[in-house]
Amino acid sequence: QVQLVESGGGLVQPGGSLRLSCAASGSIFSIYRMGWYRQAPGKQRELVATITSGGSTNYLDFVKGRFTVSIDNAKNTVYLQMNSLRPEDTAVYYCNALLADAWGTVKDYWGQGTQVTVSS
């Protein structure tokens, strides 16, 4: 019974910043990877940034240098610091986690999504 809860989305002006948080809770044995995907209207969902429990990161080219993903293993929480936001960043952002639950089952989990709107 694992769930991911996101927070931090909202409306921001171009050039502004937001920080998204996603906390995984429930019967978790270990987390292998957490990260963020986004989906804009009429477009496919795309990977934004991921991070392993060991700290290895992967970013979408368009956000590299502007976004930073981090993980707090003790809190089972992943963050996405978004700076220099652009209108093209407008989308619903989804948290994702690859983890093993208390029974040893490894699978992907998804959050409900949080809206990020960048507009002047």
Side-chain angles (χ1 to χ4, degrees), residues 2-68:
V2 176
Q3 65 176 345
L4 275 50
V5 180
E6 301 138 327
S7 63
L11 175 65
V12 65
Q13 294 188 141
S17 298
L18 284 173
R19 190 180 78 151
L20 306 183
S21 300
C22 174
S25 62
S27 301
I28 299 168
F29 178 73
S30 63
I31 293 176
Y32 298 113
R33 184 190 69 240
M34 295 188 76
W36 299 90
Y37 290 69
R38 69 185 183 187
Q39 187 167 24
K43 294 186 178 294
Q44 293 183 325
R45 188 174 298 186
E46 63 182 353
L47 183 149
V48 178
T50 61
I51 185 168
T52 68
S53 59
S56 180
T57 59
N58 185 35
Y59 292 95
L60 176 70
D61 284 343
F62 185 72
V63 310
K64 196 166 187 177
R66 299 187 296 121
F67 293 9
T68 303

Side-chain angles (χ1 to χ4, degrees), residues 16 18 25 27-28 39 58 67-68 75-76 80 82 88-89 107 113-114 118:
L18 284 173
S25 62
S27 301
I28 299 168
Q39 187 167 24
N58 185 35
F67 293 9
T68 303
K75 296 181 179 179
N76 293 332
L80 185 67
M82 303 185 292
E88 303 97 294
D89 295 316
K107 62 190 294 184
T114 185
V118 185

